[in-house]
Amino acid sequence: QVQVEESGGGSVQSGGSLKLSCKVAEYSYKNYCIGWFRQVPGRQPIGVAVRETDGSTSFADSVKGRFTISQDEAESTVYLQMNSLKPEDTAIYTCATDYRPTLRCVPESVLSFAYSGRGTQVTVSS
């Protein structure tokens, strides 16, 4: 079992920023894709962002230009920086990871990752 530890989230006003953290084991950090998906209760989850093992990142169109991913190798932690937040970004955000040595990881693929955290609530008020 791969441990995924999330932190961050909270409530902000529209236009504000939040930063989510996702800490995994060192081996997972170096060899696994790590990403986030979000879900509004009663709706389908949506892949938001992903970091591949080579450090490259990709984002869903709905967050492109507003969300970025950064990393702290010493802490085996990946961060999702969310800027210019909108009320429609309100959701439960979950970090997930998986070993995908032969497949390119894209935001949509995060939904099928084998290991995930408990999720953290992000609320953006207008």
Side-chain angles (χ1 to χ4, degrees), residues 2-10 19-25 34-39 48-49 75-80 82 91-97 110 113 115-122:
V2 175
Q3 297 288 337
V4 180
E5 299 178 22
E6 298 160 332
S7 61
K19 188 175 185 178
L20 307 182
S21 301
C22 181
K23 183 176 177 63
V24 299
I34 302 171
W36 280 266
F37 64 90
R38 67 187 184 189
Q39 186 170 19
V48 174
E75 295 293 327
S76 298
T77 300
V78 180
Y79 302 95
L80 181 67
M82 305 183 294
I92 297 172
Y93 285 70
T94 302
C95 180
T97 186
V110 178
F113 283 4
Y115 310 101
S116 61
R118 298 172 64 179
T120 184
Q121 178 70 46
V122 170

Side-chain angles (χ1 to χ4, degrees), residues 8-20 38 48 62-68 80-93 120-126:
S11 298
V12 295
Q13 290 192 325
S14 181
S17 298
L18 285 172
K19 188 175 185 178
L20 307 182
R38 67 187 184 189
V48 174
S62 59
V63 306
K64 202 171 293 183
R66 300 187 296 123
F67 290 13
T68 59
L80 181 67
Q81 177 68 45
M82 305 183 294
N83 298 327
S84 302
L85 283 162
K86 305 175 182 179
E88 51 264 43
D89 294 318
T90 296
I92 297 172
Y93 285 70
T120 184
Q121 178 70 46
V122 170
T123 302
V124 185
S125 58
S126 57

Side-chain angles (χ1 to χ4, degrees), residues 29-30 32 50-58 69-71:
Y29 176 86
K30 292 180 177 178
Y32 285 35
V50 70
R51 185 225 68 173
E52 300 203 66
T53 55
D54 65 0
S56 61
T57 58
S58 56
I69 287 176
S70 61
Q71 309 175 75

